Each structure stands twice: as structure tokens, then as C-alpha cells.
Amino acid sequence: MTRWRNIGAAASLLLTAGGALAQPVRSPVAIPSTVPASALPAADALFTDPALKETRAVIVLKDGKPIYERYAPGYGPGTRLISWSMAKSITSTLIGFLVADGKLELDTPAPVPEWKGDARAKITLRQLLHMASGVKHIEAGPEPERADTNRALFADTSADIYKAAVAEPAEVPPGTRFEYNTLTTHILARIVSDAVAPGATPAERRRKVRAFISDRLAGPAGMASLLCEFDPQGNLYGGSLCFATARDWAAFGQLYLDGGVVAGVQVVRPDWVRFVTMPSPTNPGYGGQFWLNRKPGNGKDGALFWRAGPPDAFAAIGHLGQYVIVVPSKRIVVVRLGKTQDDVLQPVRDGLAKLVNSVPAKGAK
């Protein structure tokens, strides 16, 4: 069995830059170089229906085996595709490793030195993971140049994304309001960095965090192409900017579908899998940096397909229609990667619901 060893080897070199030792890459799913012809018209529709474009890659795994794989022209199995906010689920996984190691605790104040002595000092790691910190934030809106996330990624506060994130002031008591906040995840990413590389220079921080990602996630989960970016201060862009092939995004979904186990090895602890997929107190449609297919706190559409799909589905979701959807009751993983403007994504969500519902449930014939 091969898993594109040339591509994987190149990605592993990138992930282990700076002297970290390369780790053996396991194959979590046996996706061959070619996949049988389509038997999923609902998946084909993601490429052929004009309302569902621009889809660049779709993979469907059933019981860990590929039943569908297709790419748009110009894209293929070796193409790294951007995560956007799917990176949040990667960062959550890294936090889970450190909780398992005893270096972090969910219900103690988050280790953010800049918050000591003010109202934010009581914000817990759990509340950060649940997007319930209570800080004032502008994620998006009619004036994109004013959005905190855009400014920190692309404009005047981008030289140090962590500094921009921790500057957001308290607005409501922590744990009382859900507010989606990309800068919250950049704080979580810095918490990872400080645990892995305390007191490090920017260059050392980048090197050690890259090695941590490689050693604990990319290598064991068979995600050799995974490449995450850093700001000039060596801060991991944990809320936005990771890249991987569609097959490796599928491997990430399979990791969670299998309860954190890859090739018989417990990579992510089962209690972390349960935690991230449990509804949070302030939004039943959100877990620990994963979206859940439950009616959200605001009762609106906007993430998955709670009106139509299986209630046990959960997903890593990113800007412009990036999805890694995991459905335990059907034993499937669905990956859709592309570029569809967020204000016209509802047809894509509906199309994904049709695709998920077209696959028989576990044990059904």
C-alpha cells in the first residue's frame, strides 16, 4: 500500500525543519491512487450544480475506505488546500495533547499573562475553547476593514497576532455568551506555543511548535502534507492558516471518527474526542472548536444542516466552504474544499446534507 510517499516525504521535511527528527508516517486510511467511478450523484452535484460551485475537492470515506474522490481541473491528490477556520480544530487537538500531558487544565484560568489583574483573568481554557470568553470582538461585518480578525491577519495589527488578540477588552462575564472569535483561537495557539517552547525566541517557537505538530499529530495521523503558518513573532496562526491535501484532511476526520485511534494507537484521548463533540453551555451547535449538527443558540442556519442531517454529525469548518464532516452513525467522513462566498453558502450546506443523507447508516443495506 502506498500513500503518495513522494508528496508525504516532501511535506515531512517541511514539518520537521529546524532539526526536529522526522517521524514515521502511518496510513490511517487506505486511499489508493485511483478510486472507483462515482456512485454518489449527490457528490457529483457539488461539482456540476452551478449553485454549489466552486468545489475543488471532495472525498467521502465509509468505514475508513474511500467511496468517492474527485477534484476540479487544476487540483489533485497532491494539492495542499487552505483550512481557513478548520485550523481551529487542529489547534483544539494540540490543546488536547497538552491537557492529556497534564500541562494544561480546562477549568483553571487560561495561562494568559497579559490578563492578570483584570476581569479577563478568570477566563478559563474551557471557555476559550467554547468561544465564550466574554471579550469584545468584531469577527466580520459590513465594514471588513474594521473587523478584528481581518486587521490581525492582513492589516495594521498583523505584526503580532497574539498581541492583537489579548488586547480585546472584557465586555460580558466569561461563560455567559457565545461569540465566534478567531482571535480567541490564536490565543489558544499561543498557549500551545508557551507550553511547548516557554520563553523561546520567535524562530525557536516556530521550530518547536512545528516539531510538536509533526510528532503528535501530522506523523501519527498520517497527515504528512499538513503545514501551518506563523506570524513574524513566531505565533502559530491557529485560527486560520493551515494547509493540507484533501486526503490528509480526510485523515483528520477519520482520526476523530475512530475515537482518536490510528492503526491501533490512541493518538487523541477518547475523553478529548468526547469533550470537543459535546454541546457547549452557550451554544448547543458548537463544541470545543468543532461545529455540531445541533440547533445553534441563535436558531439560524450557518454552520452545518441541523434541520436535515444526522444530529451526531460534527465538523471542522472554514471560510469559503471548507468542510471536514464526521458522522459516527453512518461511519463516514466527508471532505469538501473550495471557494464559495460565505453569503451564498446555503446551497452548499444543503448539498452536503443531501450527500450525507444519501449514504446508508451503519449496518444498513
Side-chain angles (χ1 to χ4, degrees):
M1 176 178 65
T2 62
R3 201 172 189 273
W4 324 286
R5 293 300 181 188
N6 291 338
I7 297 167
S12 293
L13 287 174
L14 285 168
L15 282 165
T16 56
L21 294 175
Q23 298 296 313
V25 176
R26 297 187 181 91
S27 294
V29 289
I31 305 178
S33 57
T34 58
V35 171
S38 167
L40 290 174
D44 283 332
L46 290 164
F47 293 92
T48 59
D49 186 337
L52 307 185
K53 292 183 177 179
E54 173 189 346
T55 296
R56 296 173 175 174
V58 173
I59 291 179
V60 182
L61 306 180
K62 172 80 170 176
D63 292 320
K65 299 178 181 179
I67 60 173
Y68 186 95
E69 181 176 22
R70 181 172 172 177
Y71 299 91
Y75 301 90
T79 307
R80 280 197 187 97
L81 293 163
I82 192 169
S83 66
W84 291 118
S85 286
M86 293 196 303
K88 293 177 171 67
S89 302
I90 296 287
T91 298
S92 172
T93 304
L94 303 180
I95 290 284
F97 294 142
L98 294 169
V99 171
D101 294 347
K103 294 183 177 180
L104 295 174
E105 296 182 8
L106 285 176
D107 294 310
T108 58
V112 180
E114 293 83 355
W115 288 352
K116 288 183 177 179
D118 66 35
R120 299 170 298 174
K122 295 182 179 180
I123 298 171
T124 66
L125 190 63
R126 185 187 299 269
Q127 289 162 345
L128 290 176
L129 288 158
H130 284 161
M131 295 290 190
S133 68
V135 301
K136 185 178 181 179
H137 177 72
I138 303 173
E139 179 71 15
E143 299 178 273
E145 70 279 4
R146 295 187 58 206
D148 296 329
T149 298
N150 291 341
R151 290 175 62 198
L153 283 174
F154 310 117
D156 60 306
T157 61
S158 61
D160 187 335
I161 199 165
Y162 174 72
K163 181 179 178 181
V166 297
E168 294 189 311
E171 188 171 48
V172 300
T176 62
R177 179 186 71 187
F178 173 84
E179 183 169 2
Y180 189 76
N181 182 339
T182 293
L183 296 191
T184 287
T185 314
H186 292 300
I187 293 172
L188 290 168
R190 179 57 181 265
I191 290 171
V192 170
S193 299
D194 287 346
V196 170
T201 64
E204 185 74 359
R205 187 180 299 130
R206 280 192 294 270
R207 187 185 71 78
K208 288 189 175 181
V209 172
R210 279 179 176 147
F212 183 69
I213 294 170
S214 177
D215 294 345
R216 298 296 293 269
L217 178 59
M223 299 176 67
S225 70
L226 180 63
L227 182 64
C228 297
E229 293 193 2
F230 295 76
D231 78 359
Q233 294 301 313
N235 295 311
L236 175 66
Y237 283 117
S240 306
L241 296 178
C242 291
F243 298 80
T245 64
R247 291 173 172 182
D248 281 359
W249 286 121
F252 183 65
Q254 191 68 38
L255 168 68
Y256 273 91
L257 179 63
D258 287 339
V261 174
V262 180
V265 176
Q266 193 77 52
V267 176
V268 176
R269 275 188 15 180
D271 54 352
W272 192 257
V273 176
R274 288 193 296 270
F275 165 68
V276 301
T277 56
M278 288 287 290
S280 60
T282 53
N283 184 359
Y286 199 75
Q289 306 278 296
F290 284 79
W291 291 94
L292 313 182
N293 200 32
R294 309 287 185 92
K295 183 178 179 180
N298 62 11
K300 299 179 181 179
D301 298 318
L304 283 170
F305 30 79
W306 62 274
R307 300 177 192 271
D312 66 330
F314 62 95
I317 299 178
H319 178 51
L320 303 177
Q322 320 315 314
Y323 294 88
V324 175
I325 302 170
V326 180
V327 190
S329 59
K330 291 175 176 276
R331 291 290 303 164
I332 62 171
V333 172
V334 175
V335 174
R336 185 272 185 185
L337 304 169
K339 183 180 180 295
T340 307
Q341 293 303 125
D342 290 344
D343 58 352
V344 291
L345 261 176
Q346 190 56 47
V348 173
R349 288 190 285 268
D350 294 340
L352 287 167
K354 290 178 182 177
L355 171 54
V356 166
N357 290 330
S358 73
V359 179
K362 181 172 61 176
K365 296 182 179 180

